[in-house]
């Protein structure tokens, strides 16, 4: 059992006047006082709505096995796979000529190999030919091809071991696109680095690269979730609205310099 207020970091002013509900009551249930109780392993979303102004906040909730530290997952890029085990360790296999597996060499692997990282990771995401991983202390680590500075280490040198990305901390979520990456911290501020081929990093310098993490969105309307793909980034704000920036999108998003934006949904997600 957890308190919803511990997860809904951006609803501080409304904790005493909130109604709680859950998208999937088979996974968790919520009480009137904001307690969230896991019922089975899975992922769902809990929302809190202010009874004063109707403003809603939403948070993604993962329920894991009682013997697990983290929710296991599998992610894949071009010709390789990365897996996060429930103990927080990361295993990889597949093509490895550029060190994308993070195992200290550039030898292709046909069976999963444990990476050099400690068993303290809670998320892992694969780009086209690189991996980023999020530790439970809020730091982000990367390995692999770095032609477009997608490793965020302020250079273009390929790495075959995970190393910490500097200049960002307190990170809550990460996402990897084709040749870029984005992250959001506990305050809802979004950072991006890598190739800005189509405006996916919310920057006017289309076709150029950001070699290190750069703030690309900071506003009094925090972001609570994000995803990335080929030339596109999608952001979910605390009020449940969804925005996209990058390829095939248009418009502008307040707080993001010269970004392209399309509101693709309204209401609670």
């Amino acid at each position: 059992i957890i308190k919803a207020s511990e997860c809904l970091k951006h609803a501080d002013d409304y904790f005493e006047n909130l109604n709680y509900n859950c998208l999937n009551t088979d996974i968790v249930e919520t009480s009137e006082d904001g307690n969230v109780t896991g019922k089975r392993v899975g992922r769902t979303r809990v929302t809190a709505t202010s009874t004063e102004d109707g403003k809603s906040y939403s948070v993604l909730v993962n329920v894991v096995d009682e013997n697990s530290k983290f929710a296991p997952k599998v992610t894949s890029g071009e010709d390789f796979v990365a897996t996060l085990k429930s103990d927080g360790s990361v295993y990889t296999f597949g093509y490895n000529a550029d060190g994308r597996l993070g195992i200290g060499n550039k030898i292709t692997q046909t069976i999963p190999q444990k990476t050099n990282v400690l068993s303290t990771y809670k998320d892992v995401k694969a780009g086209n030919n690189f991996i980023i991983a999020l530790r439970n202390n809020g730091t982000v680590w990367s390995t692999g091809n770095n032609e477009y500075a997608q490793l965020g280490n302020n250079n273009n040198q390929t790495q075959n071991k995970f190393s910490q990305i500097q200049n960002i901390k307190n990170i809550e979520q990460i996402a990897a696109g084709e040749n870029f990456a984005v992250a959001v911290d506990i305050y809802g501020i979004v950072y991006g680095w890598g190739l800005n081929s189509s405006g996916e990093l919310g920057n006017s310098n289309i076709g150029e690269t950001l070699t290190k993490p750069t703030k690309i969105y900071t506003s009094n309307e925090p972001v609570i979730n994000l995803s990335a793909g080929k030339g596109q980034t999608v952001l979910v704000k605390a009020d449940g609205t969804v925005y996209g920036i990058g390829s095939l999108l248009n418009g502008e998003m307040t707080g993001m310099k010269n970004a392209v934006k399309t509101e693709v949904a309204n209401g609670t997600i």
Side-chain angles (χ1 to χ4, degrees), residues 74-85:
V74 177
T75 182
S76 63
E78 183 177 18
D79 301 324
F80 75 102
V81 174
T83 63
L84 174 67
K85 296 183 65 177

Side-chain angles (χ1 to χ4, degrees), residues 75-81 95 98 100 125-132 143-145 147-148 150 176-181 229-230:
T75 182
S76 63
E78 183 177 18
D79 301 324
F80 75 102
V81 174
Y95 182 76
D98 49 13
R100 65 187 69 176
K125 295 292 175 65
N128 186 51
N129 48 25
F130 70 102
I131 301 172
I132 57 173
T143 187
N145 191 292
E147 179 181 359
Y148 301 105
Q150 57 264 53
E178 184 178 31
N179 295 304
F180 71 99
K230 184 176 181 179

Side-chain angles (χ1 to χ4, degrees), residues 196 199 202-207 257-259:
N196 188 43
N203 189 285
S204 60
N205 299 320
I206 292 177
K257 181 180 178 182
N258 295 321

Side-chain angles (χ1 to χ4, degrees), residues 33 97 119 127 137 142 174 177 199 227 257:
D33 58 358
S119 297
N137 64 358
S142 62
I174 55 174
S227 184
K257 181 180 178 182

Side-chain angles (χ1 to χ4, degrees), residues 244-256:
I245 56 173
S247 177
L248 304 179
L249 305 173
N250 54 60
E252 292 185 357
M253 183 176 181
T254 302
M256 185 169 284

Side-chain angles (χ1 to χ4, degrees), residues 28-242:
V28 302
E29 61 182 14
T30 58
S31 65
E32 292 183 358
D33 58 358
N35 285 327
V36 180
T37 304
K39 299 173 66 176
R40 68 173 177 83
V41 174
R43 174 181 294 185
T44 187
R45 189 167 285 279
V46 173
T47 60
T49 304
S50 170
T51 59
E52 296 180 358
D53 60 10
K55 193 171 185 178
S56 294
Y57 294 88
S58 178
V59 64
L60 191 65
V61 176
N62 283 315
V63 180
V64 300
D65 184 86
E66 62 181 355
N67 296 318
S68 300
K69 294 182 179 179
F70 308 101
K73 68 177 300 181
V74 177
T75 182
S76 63
E78 183 177 18
D79 301 324
F80 75 102
V81 174
T83 63
L84 174 67
K85 296 183 65 177
S86 60
D87 64 358
S89 60
V90 177
Y91 284 73
T92 58
F93 62 96
Y95 182 76
N96 193 35
D98 49 13
R100 65 187 69 176
L101 298 186
I103 56 176
N105 60 52
K106 295 184 178 181
I107 302 173
T108 293
Q109 303 293 326
T110 58
I111 59 175
Q113 303 290 322
K114 188 175 183 179
T115 64
N116 68 302
V117 299
L118 299 174
S119 297
T120 55
Y121 286 77
K122 64 178 184 178
D123 199 6
V124 60
K125 295 292 175 65
N128 186 51
N129 48 25
F130 70 102
I131 301 172
I132 57 173
L134 176 62
R135 286 186 68 176
N136 61 358
N137 64 358
T139 60
V140 182
W141 299 60
S142 62
T143 187
N145 191 292
N146 200 30
E147 179 181 359
Y148 301 105
Q150 57 264 53
L151 300 188
N153 53 18
N154 205 26
N155 60 51
N156 294 97
Q157 297 178 1
T158 292
Q159 297 177 184
N160 59 28
K161 288 185 177 181
F162 281 92
S163 64
Q164 183 179 346
I165 300 176
Q166 302 300 314
N167 303 317
I168 52 174
K169 60 183 180 179
N170 299 320
I171 298 301
E172 186 77 8
Q173 295 183 48
I174 55 174
E178 184 178 31
N179 295 304
F180 71 99
V182 289
V184 60
D185 67 15
I186 60 175
Y187 306 105
I189 298 171
V190 181
Y191 298 81
W193 61 93
L195 179 62
N196 188 43
S197 62
S198 304
E200 58 267 50
L201 293 179
N203 189 285
S204 60
N205 299 320
I206 292 177
E208 298 185 8
T209 60
L210 298 178
T211 60
K212 60 183 179 180
T214 303
K215 288 183 181 180
I216 62 174
Y217 177 80
T218 176
S219 173
N220 59 358
E221 299 178 345
V223 168
I224 62 168
N225 206 347
L226 76 175
S227 184
K230 184 176 181 179
Q232 297 182 357
T233 301
V234 176
L235 309 171
V236 182
K237 296 199 304 182
D239 63 2
T241 54
V242 181

